[in-house]
């Protein structure tokens, strides 16, 4: 832990000792006695000021993050299990594979893993179509494998967060099969409609124009039940009916099952879709498309009847109340985040107030390769704007639904982007492989697996999520050390020169070493709070100060501009307020020695270079 930089003045007052040692006739005049009294009083006053000031600085004015909830202090690392590590040679990553690689997460300084779905599933959407919430799909292993993962993760102080899919199930689910059979218990578990009569054709059609995220109508006709059912995603992913109390009871029961097994929280997938308007005849104001074109869904369209309905928030509050009962047992808080793309600030605040953390995707959806320092600053400020005191900020850099950061921002920006994520206020969420700078793999239509892309035929590449879901690159052996079998998606062709083993062992400052070093710095109190002060920010530089009260000041400088040449700037003005500092971390291409003292009057960096500096006064 850092020590306070406050220095206390010397409290030895030799004058007093000398006075006490003299004969009583040292000063006999009234004037001399008065002067002596004044001196003694002044010494006592100064001593009191020093003592009380020191006590105040060491108690009231020194920020202590030890009372923060664990998820506010750690890095969350997303694992897409089928691509992380295969333990049995079938080409698909599994739970044993994750367990075998926990030391990698410890090396990185990661304190929590978010694991994408491994529940029993027909895998038409690769696990996000759940058949049974409390069973593990055999391709990922057994419940014993999960218990072993939990045991080993606990030994290494790594929290486990599950990806929970509460909006929909697979159509292979027992619930849906019984619902389509009009079973009394299950008939209202999903959203059903007779549809509307087309007066010209005299045939029934979908009740409204609502769209599936994967394209086309969100309604599919079920011959067995003779009704339409609603699905915000694939037709094999029917939406649950949240207006049925039995459904909510089932979901809580499933969550409780995993909480009892020791998980530390949930990421709620696609939760903004959980409620639909009661009146299923209402059309949304969507753009018209030609008869031979697949209608496409987007966040920019108005989805007033299918997204972020106000009924969501009482559900979150109820689930938060359930999570708090576990905290009452062991004093450890449980984490609950919500997938929340395309939301307004007002909706964000409602998610927070209800007791969840809405994931902030601005670094993915808003940050473009052409952004300069001012653009970066604007996006960061927007993510933190008007957050209430109890609303902890968060930033997400990558996930299984978006192109990798190295592909979005450029190979030269890998280190800077990781430095940015790990030094911003709040909880950072990163995606497996981004620590070594893995880039998208472009697959042919024949190689592709993702239904989100395949549904669009020749335009599949615009929508496919396969490019960011390929196997982890562990070393330069067969299949990048991911599997001894045939990987479910082929590995990236660059694995021999870009892998974990090589980057750990090389002497130069590789991507993974930069990530590890900045992750260590992030544990310092000055980075464990929710405030940020921007310093020099212009077309090239993004810089800011991180400092907690009574703690050392740190300056983060990054060149994110478009100029390929080195650019200089003066960083001595407030909030830095100093002309020198010590380099405690840097990106891989910076030609400055670690721990060297730097003149802040003129710091020169190229695009994609960054520094973390402890400021001296």
């Amino acid at each position: 832990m850092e020590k306070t930089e406050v220095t206390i003045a010397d409290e030895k007052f030799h004058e007093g000792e000398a006075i006490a040692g003299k004969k009583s006739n040292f000063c006999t005049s009234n004037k001399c006695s008065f002067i002596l009294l004044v001196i003694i009083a002044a010494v006592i006053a100064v001593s009191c000021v020093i003592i009380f000031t020191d006590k105040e600085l060491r108690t009231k004015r020194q920020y202590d993050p030890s009372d923060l909830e664990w998820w506010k202090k750690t890095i969350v690392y997303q694992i897409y299990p089928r691509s992380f590590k295969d333990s049995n040679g079938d080409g698909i990553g599994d739970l044993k594979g994750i367990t075998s690689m926990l030391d990698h997460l410890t090396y990185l300084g990661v304190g929590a893993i978010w694991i994408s779905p491994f529940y029993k599933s027909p895998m038409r959407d690769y696990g996000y179509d759940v058949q049974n919430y409390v069973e593990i799909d055999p391709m990922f292993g057994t419940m014993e494998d999960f218990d072993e993962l939990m045991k080993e993760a606990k030994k290494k102080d790594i929290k486990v967060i599950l990806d929970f899919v509460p909006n929909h199930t697979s159509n292979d689910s027992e619930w849906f099969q019984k619902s389509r059979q009009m079973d009394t218990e299950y008939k209202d578990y999903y959203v059903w409609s007779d549809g509307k009569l087309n007066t010209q054709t005299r045939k029934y059609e979908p009740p409204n124009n609502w769209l599936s995220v994967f394209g086309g109508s969100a309604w599919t006709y079920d011959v067995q039940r003779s009704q339409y059912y609603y699905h915000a995603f694939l037709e094999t992913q029917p939406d649950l009916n949240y207006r049925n109390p039995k459904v909510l009871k089932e979901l809580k029961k499933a969550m409780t099952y995993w909480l009892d097994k020791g998980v530390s929280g949930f990421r709620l997938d696609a939760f903004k879709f959980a409620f639909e308007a009661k009146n299923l005849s209402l059309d949304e104001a969507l753009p018209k498309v030609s008869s031979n074109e697949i209608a496409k869904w987007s966040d920019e369209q108005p989805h007033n009847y299918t997204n972020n309905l106000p009924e969501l928030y009482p559900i979150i509050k109820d689930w938060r109340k359930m999570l708090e009962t576990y905290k009452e047992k062991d004093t450890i808080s449980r984490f609950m985040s919500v997938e929340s793309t395309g939301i307004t600030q007002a909706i964000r605040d409602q998610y927070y107030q209800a007791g969840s953390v809405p994931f902030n995707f601005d670094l993915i959806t808003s940050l473009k390769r052409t952004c300069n320092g001012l653009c970066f600053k604007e996006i960061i400020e927007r993510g933190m704007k008007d957050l209430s005191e109890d609303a902890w900020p968060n930033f997400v850099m990558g996930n299984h639904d978006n192109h990798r950061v190295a592909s979005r921002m450029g190979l030269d920006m890998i280190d800077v982007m990781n430095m940015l994520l790990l030094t911003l206020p709040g909880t950072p969420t990163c995606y497996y492989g981004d620590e070594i700078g893995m880039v998208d793999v472009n697959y042919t239509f024949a190689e592709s697996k993702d239904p989100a892309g395949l549904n669009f035929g020749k335009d599949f590449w615009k929508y496919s999520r396969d490019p960011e879901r390929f196997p982890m690159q562990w070393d330069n052996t067969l299949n990048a050390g991911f599997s001894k079998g045939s990987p479910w998606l082929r590995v990236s062709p660059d694995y021999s020169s870009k892998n974990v083993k090589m980057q750990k062992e090389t002497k130069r400052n590789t991507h993974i070493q930069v990530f590890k070093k900045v992750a260590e710095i992030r544990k310092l109190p000055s980075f464990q709070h929710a405030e940020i002060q921007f310093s020099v920010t212009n077309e090239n530089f993004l810089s800011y100060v991180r400092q907690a009260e009574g703690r050392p000041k740190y300056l983060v400088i990054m060149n994110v501009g478009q100029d390929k040449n080195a650019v200089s700037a003066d960083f001595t003005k407030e909030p830095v307020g100093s002309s020198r500092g010590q380099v405690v971390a840097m990106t891989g291409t910076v030609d400055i020695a670690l721990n060297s003292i730097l003149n802040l009057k003129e710091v020169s960096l190229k695009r994609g270079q960054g520094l973390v500096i402890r400021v001296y006064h």
Side-chain angles (χ1 to χ4, degrees):
M1 182 165 293
E2 298 167 303
K3 296 181 180 179
T4 177
E5 292 184 315
V6 177
T7 56
I8 307 303
D10 191 347
E11 296 184 40
K12 296 178 181 178
F13 296 101
H14 302 289
E15 294 89 345
E17 295 172 6
I19 292 168
K22 294 294 182 179
K23 294 180 180 179
S24 58
N25 64 353
F26 169 72
C27 185
T28 56
S29 70
N30 290 337
K31 183 176 181 181
C32 185
S33 298
F34 177 75
I35 293 172
L36 182 60
L37 287 172
V38 170
I39 292 172
I40 293 172
V43 169
I44 293 172
V46 170
S47 299
C48 289
V49 168
I50 291 172
I51 291 169
F52 287 117
T53 300
D54 180 37
K55 184 178 179 181
E56 183 180 13
L57 286 171
R58 286 187 286 112
T59 56
K60 293 183 180 180
R61 293 189 182 178
Q62 191 175 62
Y63 174 72
D64 182 4
S66 60
D67 290 336
L68 284 177
E69 294 165 301
W70 62 267
W71 54 269
K72 295 181 177 180
K73 296 186 286 185
T74 191
I75 299 165
V76 178
Y77 183 101
Q78 184 192 357
I79 292 175
Y80 193 66
R82 66 189 300 121
S83 291
F84 196 62
K85 177 66 176 177
D86 172 21
S87 70
N88 60 6
D90 66 356
I92 298 172
D94 46 46
L95 295 174
K96 280 188 175 181
I98 296 174
T99 304
S100 71
M101 291 300 175
L102 289 177
D103 283 343
H104 172 67
L105 305 173
T106 300
Y107 169 87
L108 292 177
V110 167
I113 52 176
W114 148 30
I115 310 176
S116 291
F118 50 78
Y119 315 106
K120 186 176 181 182
S121 165
M123 299 294 161
R124 298 185 186 100
D125 191 21
Y126 295 93
Y128 285 91
D129 48 332
V130 178
Q131 186 172 345
N132 190 309
Y133 285 105
V134 294
E135 289 185 25
I136 292 174
D137 196 280
M139 72 168 56
F140 295 120
T142 64
M143 194 60 74
E144 289 72 25
D145 294 336
F146 177 79
D147 292 338
E148 181 69 13
L149 169 60
M150 292 299 298
K151 184 178 75 172
E152 294 302 312
K154 186 175 182 179
K155 287 180 183 177
K156 300 179 187 300
D157 197 24
I158 295 174
K159 301 289 194 297
V160 176
I161 300 165
L162 297 193
D163 208 333
F164 193 64
V165 190
N167 176 67
H168 50 265
T169 69
S170 165
N171 62 344
D172 286 357
S173 165
E174 180 185 7
W175 300 352
F176 186 75
Q177 291 302 315
K178 289 187 175 182
S179 185
R180 66 199 296 254
Q181 294 164 10
M182 293 293 284
D183 182 290
T184 304
E185 182 70 18
Y186 295 93
K187 68 183 182 70
D188 293 326
Y189 265 43
Y190 297 85
V191 182
W192 294 95
S193 171
D194 290 332
K196 62 182 179 182
L197 180 66
N198 185 319
T199 56
Q200 293 182 336
T201 64
R202 305 304 300 171
K203 293 181 180 179
Y204 280 89
E205 298 176 347
N208 55 48
N209 69 341
W210 299 351
L211 292 178
S212 160
V213 173
F214 290 157
S217 174
W219 294 93
T220 292
Y221 187 74
D222 182 70
V223 177
Q224 184 170 352
R225 180 156 163 160
S226 298
Q227 280 187 309
Y228 287 92
Y229 63 88
Y230 174 69
H231 51 91
F233 295 88
L234 292 175
E235 65 181 63
T236 56
Q237 294 170 296
D239 273 46
L240 288 164
N241 177 14
Y242 268 66
R243 301 189 188 281
N244 183 346
K246 294 179 182 178
V247 170
L248 299 180
K249 185 177 179 180
E250 294 273 21
L251 292 172
K252 284 182 72 172
K253 182 179 177 182
M255 295 171 83
T256 299
Y257 176 85
W258 294 108
L259 288 165
D260 288 344
K261 281 192 164 289
V263 303
S264 296
F266 302 97
R267 175 257 189 188
L268 304 181
D269 176 72
F271 192 67
K272 68 179 183 179
F273 294 90
F275 277 93
E276 305 79 32
K278 288 183 180 180
N279 184 350
L280 299 180
S281 69
L282 296 172
D283 280 343
E284 293 186 326
L286 302 175
K288 300 287 185 181
V289 296
S290 61
S291 58
N292 62 348
E293 183 182 0
I294 299 175
K296 301 176 181 64
W297 187 98
S298 78
D299 269 324
E300 287 70 36
Q301 297 165 347
H303 299 289
N304 302 331
Y305 302 133
T306 55
N307 279 199
N308 296 307
L309 270 64
E311 292 94 329
L312 292 175
Y313 311 118
I315 303 299
I316 295 176
K317 286 181 180 179
D318 185 53
W319 290 353
R320 169 50 62 190
K321 185 177 179 181
M322 173 186 64
L323 295 178
E324 290 303 304
T325 64
Y326 285 84
K327 182 179 179 180
E328 291 169 3
K329 297 175 185 177
D330 58 16
T331 71
I332 301 172
S333 64
R334 267 54 175 190
F335 181 64
M336 181 166 58
S337 64
V338 181
E339 183 185 21
S340 49
T341 56
I343 62 173
T344 63
Q345 182 179 317
I347 292 173
R348 175 203 71 180
D349 293 343
Q350 289 185 79
Y351 276 121
Y352 271 121
Q353 291 163 13
S356 66
V357 177
F359 268 163
N360 174 8
F361 291 101
D362 281 350
L363 294 182
I364 297 177
T365 58
S366 300
L367 200 58
K368 309 300 180 186
R369 190 178 293 210
T370 55
C371 272
N372 59 25
L374 296 171
C375 173
F376 271 75
K377 178 175 180 284
E378 179 184 347
I379 290 169
I380 294 166
E381 288 180 324
R382 185 169 68 226
M384 300 182 64
K385 184 179 180 182
D386 297 330
L387 283 176
S388 62
E389 190 172 331
D390 58 348
W392 189 253
N394 76 95
F395 292 91
V396 181
M397 186 64 79
N399 68 9
H400 61 292
D401 287 333
N402 293 277
H403 294 297
R404 286 189 173 271
V405 62
S407 296
R408 298 194 315 267
M409 299 302 294
L411 295 175
D412 59 341
M413 291 287 283
I414 294 169
D415 289 344
V416 153
M417 295 306 294
N418 283 329
M419 180 177 283
L420 172 71
L421 177 67
L422 299 180
T423 58
L424 284 174
T427 301
T429 299
C430 62
Y431 188 46
Y432 82 96
D434 283 350
E435 70 270 29
I436 62 171
M438 283 167 52
V439 297
D440 288 357
V441 175
N442 295 319
Y443 297 99
T444 65
F445 186 84
E447 292 176 309
S448 292
K449 312 287 186 182
D450 183 19
L454 296 177
N455 280 358
F456 289 95
K458 62 182 177 61
D459 290 332
F460 78 99
W461 58 274
K462 296 179 182 178
Y463 307 97
S464 177
R465 298 164 298 180
D466 289 331
E468 60 265 18
R469 295 181 174 185
F470 59 97
M472 181 67 172
Q473 297 163 207
W474 293 107
D475 55 41
N476 63 358
T477 62
L478 177 69
N479 297 323
F482 162 71
S483 174
K484 293 181 180 179
S486 178
W488 76 283
L489 276 176
R490 66 173 167 85
V491 299
S492 173
D494 71 354
Y495 75 86
S496 61
S497 60
K498 182 181 291 182
N499 60 71
V500 171
K501 186 174 186 291
M502 182 274 292
Q503 290 195 17
K504 281 184 178 180
E505 294 178 350
T506 188
K507 292 182 179 180
R508 59 187 175 82
N509 198 21
T510 60
H511 300 315
I512 201 169
Q513 292 176 24
V514 172
F515 188 103
K516 175 180 171 61
K517 183 62 178 177
V518 182
E520 290 173 358
I521 292 170
R522 191 188 172 278
K523 295 177 182 178
L524 299 174
S526 285
F527 292 89
Q528 298 278 311
H529 68 110
E531 296 177 2
I532 185 171
Q533 293 176 286
F534 286 97
S535 181
V536 176
T537 302
N538 52 37
E539 290 186 354
N540 294 297
F541 286 109
L542 170 70
S543 68
Y544 45 84
V545 165
R546 300 300 313 281
Q547 182 181 30
E549 192 167 21
R551 300 290 186 175
K553 179 183 291 187
Y554 291 87
L555 170 64
V556 181
I557 306 174
M558 292 168 286
N559 185 334
V560 296
Q562 303 303 309
D563 194 333
K564 297 295 183 181
N565 299 316
V567 180
S568 301
D570 178 356
F571 294 89
T572 60
K573 297 178 181 178
E574 293 297 339
V576 178
S578 176
S579 60
R580 66 192 188 103
Q582 182 183 22
V583 177
V584 295
M586 57 194 177
T587 56
T589 59
V590 175
D591 190 21
I592 298 175
L594 189 66
N595 297 320
S596 62
I597 304 302
L598 197 63
N599 179 6
L600 301 181
K601 186 73 176 175
E602 186 177 7
V603 178
S604 180
L605 295 174
K606 295 179 180 178
R607 170 182 160 83
Q609 293 184 333
L611 300 168
V612 181
I613 300 166
R614 177 169 171 167
V615 177
Y616 285 155
H617 290 282

